[in-house]
Amino acid sequence: MTPRIDAHQHFWRIARGDYSWLTPALGAIYRDFNPEDLAPHLAAHGIAATILVQAAPTHAETAFLLDLADKTAFVAGVVGWTEFAAPAADATIARLAADPLLVGLRPMVQDMDDDDWLMRAELAPAFDAMAAHQLVFDALLKPRHLRRLIAVLERHPQLRVVVDHAAKPAIGSGDDSAWRSDVAAVAQFSNVACKLSGLVTEAPSNWTVDDLRPYVEHLLICFGAERLIWGSDWPVVNLAADYRRWISTAEQLMAGLDVSAQSLVFGGNAIGVYLSDRGKTIAC
């Protein structure tokens, strides 16, 4: 039996002070979230382990997350942060990769002023170091960045990439043809997987399963069950649903797959992409 993995969750402590995006306006999530807050949700849904993902663009937060992961049995890996454009980025990545709990890195591309940031030549040493150390590049993108990602994929064919939150399509908000064609183009690269996460916060407030279905069906056509990875995006998911509703929705959306394919989406792919090359095994 393949263990269930939540491949995208966060912890934060507001007093740390480096979450510039996290303001009181985000009332439902403007408080501390710690392992003891998540543990009941994991137990309720039979989830064996998680991938803990950065929420601040600082080395201090990455160190905080790695320390939390070391103390939290269910956290199997951390996707941290570093400055990819720094002159010594490759050396920094080598140092970070020495921690066995670090499984990936995530620059917050969606928040950058330069839409073409991904295409900068000076990022090449960082991407090469990522590939050399078998770290996953978590791509936190908006739809406009997908075409830019293709330049990275062409230059770094050994780089393992996971597109977070399906690149955040604007669900139900008009023409999605560009997102559809660009997702399909990115999916042509076999080293790219996509997270089935973060969709409800891109949907109208009164969203239903059927609002999400056309987008998820397109992801299945493009990536197949073999390259979709479920994640909760907890606690951000609380802005539009809760843990129980999102996992129930995802299960409904995957109901047409056979049991083997569902086990890939809800755990097997996360293990294969993030954990197996770092020597990690997860007990059911």
Side-chain angles (χ1 to χ4, degrees), residues 49-248:
T50 72
I51 302 297
L52 173 58
V53 180
Q54 63 83 226
T58 66
H59 287 131
E61 197 228 12
T62 297
F64 164 70
L65 297 180
L66 287 167
D67 181 64
L68 264 184
D70 187 55
K71 298 172 181 175
T72 306
F74 62 72
V75 176
V78 170
V79 174
W81 177 91
T82 195
E83 176 51 76
F84 278 45
D90 52 348
T92 301
I93 289 168
R95 175 181 59 79
L96 290 169
D99 190 318
L101 282 167
L102 191 87
V103 297
L105 293 168
R106 185 175 85 149
M108 301 179 83
V109 178
Q110 68 169 15
D111 298 326
M112 294 180 180
D113 293 332
D114 181 5
D115 284 351
D116 291 330
W117 182 86
L118 279 170
M119 303 172 70
R120 292 184 180 181
E122 64 264 34
L123 304 186
F127 286 124
D128 286 340
M130 292 274 289
H133 293 284
Q134 298 182 313
L135 296 176
V136 176
F137 173 52
D138 258 45
L140 178 61
L141 311 177
K142 292 291 186 71
R144 65 183 181 274
H145 298 115
L146 285 167
R147 283 284 166 182
R148 278 86 169 184
L149 179 61
I150 289 175
V152 176
L153 298 169
E154 289 174 341
R155 294 170 185 168
H156 305 279
Q158 303 306 313
L159 180 67
R160 192 175 304 175
V161 177
V162 175
V163 176
D164 284 356
H165 315 321
K168 296 192 168 185
I171 294 172
S173 298
D175 185 8
D176 60 9
S177 58
W179 174 82
R180 287 177 172 273
S181 62
D182 291 349
V183 163
V186 166
Q188 293 298 308
F189 294 84
S190 61
N191 53 320
V192 181
C194 180
K195 280 187 185 170
L196 183 65
S197 62
L199 296 179
V200 296
T201 45
E202 304 304 316
S205 60
N206 60 344
W207 66 270
T208 67
V209 175
D210 286 338
D211 292 323
L212 306 183
R213 194 178 304 279
Y215 297 86
V216 174
E217 288 177 347
H218 185 63
L219 295 175
L220 279 169
I221 290 168
C222 293
F223 291 98
E226 299 78 13
R227 289 191 287 149
L228 276 186
I229 302 174
W230 180 81
S232 67
D233 198 24
W234 180 93
V236 179
V237 69
N238 293 342
L239 293 172
D242 56 26
Y243 205 102
R244 178 201 58 78
R245 186 181 178 195
W246 167 235
I247 194 169
S248 172

